[in-house]
Amino acid sequence: MIKFVTSNRNKFQEVKYLMEAARIDVEWHEMKYEEIQADTTEEISRDSCAKIAGGLDSRFFLEDTGLYIDPLNGFPGPYSSYVQRTIGNKGILRLLHNNGRDAAFLTVISYWNGKEIVQFSGELRGKISYTERGNNGFGYDPIFIPDGYEKSLAEMTVPEKNAISHRSIAVLKFIDYLRKEDE
Ligand code: IMP
């Protein structure tokens, strides 16, 4: 069994779907934790993991995700959570006006195996839409259209999002690692 530390039900649902398919038993450790403000998603993810490592007696992982918008020089990136809470998707659409729309999601998983932290990352490139679209998913999903698709992530089901997402790319790397670790 492995614990996924997150307060986000949607993240847990997406990850559980992938891990169950790989026959890995994952338990939701529902917990809010303070994130440092740092320049990269990797650093934030690692710092959160290191802080929790002392307090949990089993192996666990967590993840941090950022939305990096090219015409805004990567903003909000490591500030994605704050920006979603403050200006939200409507604010991002206002900021972009008629600028370019290229963007990427980056997820970094940090896994504490009892001795050290190991990280796995996944990226999904796409475009910011002109309006919010769809009711599924969470966060920036309604304004993100993956490259090669017409639908926003919020117009996709969990299996559809999982077939391409930043999070699932990172999780599949992690699953691979866990398989080797258990050999
Ligand atoms: P965090 O990883 O929970 O800190 O996420 C940062 C911000 O990005 C939060 O506002 C999340 O709602 C949002 N976010 C994280 N993952 C996704 C995703 O897969 N789709 C859309 N928004 C996301």
Side-chain angles (χ1 to χ4, degrees), residues 8 11 14 35 63-65 80-81 84 105 138-141 153 161 166-167:
N8 185 320
K11 283 188 182 180
E14 291 176 18
E35 285 181 359
E63 62 98 292
D64 194 66
T65 296
S80 293
S81 180
Q84 179 65 224
F105 273 116
F138 65 102
Y140 297 101
D141 282 345
L153 286 175
K161 181 176 173 186
H166 42 297
R167 181 162 297 104

Side-chain angles (χ1 to χ4, degrees), residues 140-182:
Y140 297 101
D141 282 345
I143 59 165
F144 190 90
I145 301 172
D147 282 345
Y149 291 80
E150 304 278 314
K151 289 184 192 178
S152 77
L153 286 175
E155 292 173 310
M156 296 185 180
T157 61
V158 168
E160 282 173 332
K161 181 176 173 186
N162 266 345
I164 53 170
S165 84
H166 42 297
R167 181 162 297 104
S168 70
I169 292 168
V171 170
L172 293 178
K173 288 181 190 168
F174 180 36
I175 288 173
D176 240 27
Y177 181 90
L178 287 175
R179 285 233 176 81
K180 290 187 187 120
E181 199 182 51
D182 289 342

